[in-house]
Amino acid sequence: NVIKVIRYNQRVKELTTEQIFAEIDKDGDREIDQAELTAWLEAADKELKPFKPPAAEEPEADEKKEEDEEKKEDGKAEEAKEGEAKEGEAAEKPIDAAAEKEKITPAPKAGLVRPTALAPAVPEKEPEPEVIELDSDKLDEVFSQLCDEGESSLSKAVFCRTVQQFFKVIKETALTDVFPVTTSKPQRKLDTREVVEVLEGPVRDTLTKVTRVKCRAVRDNVEGWATVSSNLGTVFLREGKPSFKVVKETILTEEFQLEAEEKKEGEEEKKEEGKKLKLGEVLTVIEWPRKEEKSGLVRMKAKVKSDGSTGWVTTMGNQGTVFAEMLP
């Protein structure tokens, strides 16, 4: 519940993880102690209202002016065509005076039923806010669980790792430019087993009954909106734990960057350094995955559960090969 309150206030205030950390860290020593977190929680908004869909973006003034002028010109051209067509029809086809006078509506052909207008979609009733009640007597225990083992304060790295929210793609879906599904344009496809960082939401559209999040794809840093669950209950994204499992043998290295050197003909192959990670190894996140720009690999800092060793590991290759996937 503490993390839920922090995330809610962060998104309402439109703050980055680093900014919400600085807000809680009152003395600016780059660590959050229990007293600072308790004081911040007392003043924080604990009535968690459902996030509303973002307002539709208005086009820029110049773009809107051009669009209006184009519509005006198209309208004039259409009117001219209609006028010519009507004149031609009037010359070729005599007017049925009786029908015109009586305003007779032709009867439908036998066996045909006139279509009726579809009933408009009925929006869901907006859910009630979730009120979080924090037990001050249990905050000691909660705070110690948030800290790393043996630590009495929250470092910036630990805070960011805990507060940042990541989802795993469990069914292919589109990453689109805007929230409304009906008017959005796809940026690219999100493949299964990909990981995305949540930037806004989740937001449920009470009219279409679709839940969506604004997110950043870890693989290439592309931002957009993705569907978490459809109106039929199909799940596309699911929140993951800060734990990964090795699904293809890889290595644990000391540095984030990996130099991808091309081997010259006749040159002896450079010995690969680092600890080999076998299939099934469980990794605890120290720093969430991010793209290494030079190589295009997605890398994260992690702790190996079996022996406690730490280092950097590739979770996804630059061609989309998955080496370690997030656990649900």
Side-chain angles (χ1 to χ4, degrees):
N1 281 347
V2 169
I3 298 303
K4 193 182 283 189
V5 171
I6 295 172
R7 285 175 179 168
Y8 177 79
N9 282 267
Q10 175 191 354
R11 287 171 191 164
V12 166
K13 296 175 182 179
E14 298 181 352
L15 301 176
T16 64
T17 312
E18 290 79 8
Q19 287 170 332
I20 194 72
F21 174 85
E23 183 177 283
I24 301 172
D25 178 27
K26 285 293 183 186
D27 61 11
D29 64 352
R30 309 185 83 175
E31 290 188 341
I32 294 173
D33 57 38
Q34 187 175 335
E36 286 174 325
L37 182 61
T38 302
W40 183 87
L41 286 170
E42 285 177 1
D45 186 356
K46 292 181 280 294
E47 187 178 336
L48 280 50
K49 302 177 184 69
F51 291 109
K52 293 184 178 180
E57 294 181 10
E58 288 291 332
E60 295 292 330
D62 291 342
E63 290 178 8
K64 193 171 183 182
K65 188 177 179 182
E66 282 180 24
E67 195 177 317
D68 290 343
E69 285 175 1
E70 283 177 14
K71 285 181 180 177
K72 196 181 289 182
E73 291 299 322
D74 291 343
K76 285 178 182 177
E78 198 64 37
E79 283 176 15
K81 284 181 185 177
E82 285 179 10
E84 289 171 8
K86 286 177 182 176
E87 285 176 12
E89 286 174 12
E92 293 174 11
K93 188 177 178 183
I95 296 172
D96 185 346
E100 186 67 22
K101 185 177 179 181
E102 299 295 332
K103 300 291 183 186
I104 297 171
T105 304
K109 292 182 181 179
L112 295 178
V113 179
R114 290 187 183 282
T116 55
L118 293 172
V122 179
E124 290 178 325
K125 184 182 177 182
E126 193 170 298
E128 294 295 320
E130 180 186 1
V131 179
I132 303 291
E133 294 182 3
L134 299 175
D135 188 343
S136 57
D137 295 333
K138 292 183 179 178
L139 278 180
D140 290 359
E141 184 183 343
V142 172
F143 186 78
S144 63
Q145 289 173 354
L146 293 176
C147 295
D148 272 353
E149 190 176 347
E151 299 293 330
S152 59
S153 61
L154 272 172
S155 67
K156 189 174 182 178
V158 173
F159 178 86
C160 291
R161 179 187 73 204
T162 308
V163 172
Q164 283 176 293
Q165 191 175 20
F166 288 80
F167 279 32
K168 178 182 176 182
V169 181
I170 61 171
K171 187 177 177 63
E172 284 183 0
T173 186
L175 186 66
T176 67
D177 57 347
V178 292
F179 174 81
V181 178
T182 51
T183 58
S184 63
K185 294 177 183 177
Q187 312 254 59
R188 75 166 178 85
K189 180 180 71 174
L190 289 174
D191 296 316
T192 54
R193 301 164 89 182
E194 270 200 72
V195 176
V196 298
E197 180 185 1
V198 177
L199 303 176
E200 289 182 35
V203 181
R204 183 169 175 83
D205 189 329
T206 57
L207 189 63
T208 62
K209 302 174 181 63
V210 171
T211 302
R212 290 175 47 87
V213 289
K214 187 175 184 181
C215 56
R216 180 191 296 114
V218 170
R219 178 177 174 180
D220 54 13
N221 295 324
V222 175
E223 293 184 13
W225 287 88
T227 298
V228 177
S229 59
S230 73
N231 57 345
L232 299 176
T234 305
V235 178
F236 295 92
L237 308 179
R238 182 171 288 147
E239 185 171 2
K241 297 176 182 176
S243 299
F244 281 66
K245 182 173 74 173
V246 176
V247 293
K248 187 176 177 64
E249 283 192 4
T250 185
I251 58 169
L252 192 73
T253 64
E254 291 183 4
E255 302 297 328
F256 172 66
Q257 291 185 332
L258 277 179
E259 294 293 332
E261 298 179 358
E262 293 184 3
K263 288 180 287 182
K264 296 177 182 177
E265 190 176 346
E267 186 180 357
E268 204 172 299
E269 186 176 347
K270 187 179 178 181
K271 188 179 179 182
E272 200 172 36
E273 297 178 354
K275 170 187 167 64
K276 285 190 177 180
L277 297 176
K278 296 180 181 179
L279 295 179
E281 287 268 27
V282 176
L283 312 170
T284 303
V285 175
I286 296 176
E287 290 185 32
W288 283 98
R290 65 180 190 268
K291 184 181 178 181
E292 200 275 289
E293 294 298 336
K294 192 169 183 179
S295 65
L297 303 173
V298 176
R299 311 259 293 153
M300 77 170 181
K301 192 172 186 180
K303 181 178 180 180
V304 182
K305 190 175 181 180
S306 60
D307 61 10
S309 56
T310 62
W312 291 90
V313 60
T314 298
T315 60
M316 182 178 282
N318 52 20
Q319 300 299 314
T321 304
V322 176
F323 292 90
E325 67 174 321
M326 186 162 59
L327 294 174

